Amino acid sequence: GAGVSQSPSNKVTEKGKDVELRCDPISGHTALYWYRQSLGQGLEFLIYFQGNSAPDKSGLPSDRFSAERTGGSVSTLTIQRTQQEDSAVYLCASSLYGANTEAFFGQGTRLTVV
Amino acid sequence: DAKTTQPPSMDCAEGRAANLPCNHSTISGNEYVYWYRQIHSQGPQYIIHGLKNNETNEMASLIITEDRKSSTLILPHATLRDTAVYYCIVIFGGTSYGKLTFGQGTILTVHP
């Protein structure tokens, strides 16, 4: 597709379960970002991948959160042992290079932990 | 990247120009001013960016002061669909691969 694709669009999970969120960036984009947005709150940076460089994980809130990007393309954000406070919209974005090129966002995955 | 300061909220009447200010007094010579917006329930959307010259595209105009310490995003004829959170971000240009982070932005409400 032409844009950033995220799946699933909605996910309801039970507290304590693990979840995986997927992001398909725009083909050829070397930069990929994950953000979290809780209800009524701003965009919280989670992790940034740039080419073959080590990812910037400085925004991950705990060691329950991890992400990988395989083959420089698709990325998966994994949350282990989910908690109710993990409920939020998780947004993925990609850009051709880094922050100095236009970032394109997916529609997000709405995660609800019950 | 330089810090930016934006008013938390603004109002604008439909059909009027919306002028959104941003202060970036510590901006350096290699840093660009970028604007994004986030309409409710959607991912952010790029609007425009500039270095020192004024810029215009189909969405908006960006006016950067001569000393580059502040800028204004102008939506010339605001519509109800322009109601959104607007983010002003200063980003190092050139070959930097810095990450993109967002502040609190300005909530623009366009009313009939």
Side-chain angles (χ1 to χ4, degrees), chain B residues 49-110:
Chain B
H49 76 280
L51 182 62
K52 53 185 176 181
N53 296 322
N54 297 336
E55 302 288 344
T56 296
N57 63 21
E58 65 279 3
M59 290 181 69
S61 294
L62 175 61
I63 308 298
I64 302 174
T65 58
E66 191 169 345
D67 63 7
R68 302 210 321 122
K69 293 185 177 182
S70 65
S71 60
T72 301
L73 177 75
I74 301 172
L75 308 178
H77 305 287
T79 71
L80 299 179
R81 288 173 298 198
D82 291 322
T83 293
V85 181
Y86 287 78
Y87 299 96
C88 170
I89 307 168
V90 170
I91 296 169
F92 182 74
T95 57
S96 169
Y97 295 112
K99 66 191 180 194
L100 179 64
T101 56
F102 294 82
Q104 294 305 304
T106 296
I107 301 172
L108 174 69
T109 303
V110 181

Side-chain angles (χ1 to χ4, degrees), chain A residues 19-57:
Chain A
V19 294
E20 286 189 350
L21 312 181
R22 177 186 169 105
C23 173
D24 283 89
I26 293 173
S27 178
H29 280 193
T30 64
L32 188 147
Y33 306 84
W34 283 98
Y35 299 88
R36 177 171 72 173
Q37 190 165 37
S38 302
L39 188 63
Q41 301 299 308
L43 286 154
E44 178 187 4
F45 165 79
L46 296 178
I47 189 168
Y48 165 52
F49 295 90
Q50 174 50 258
N52 295 321
S53 301
D56 181 336
K57 304 179 182 180

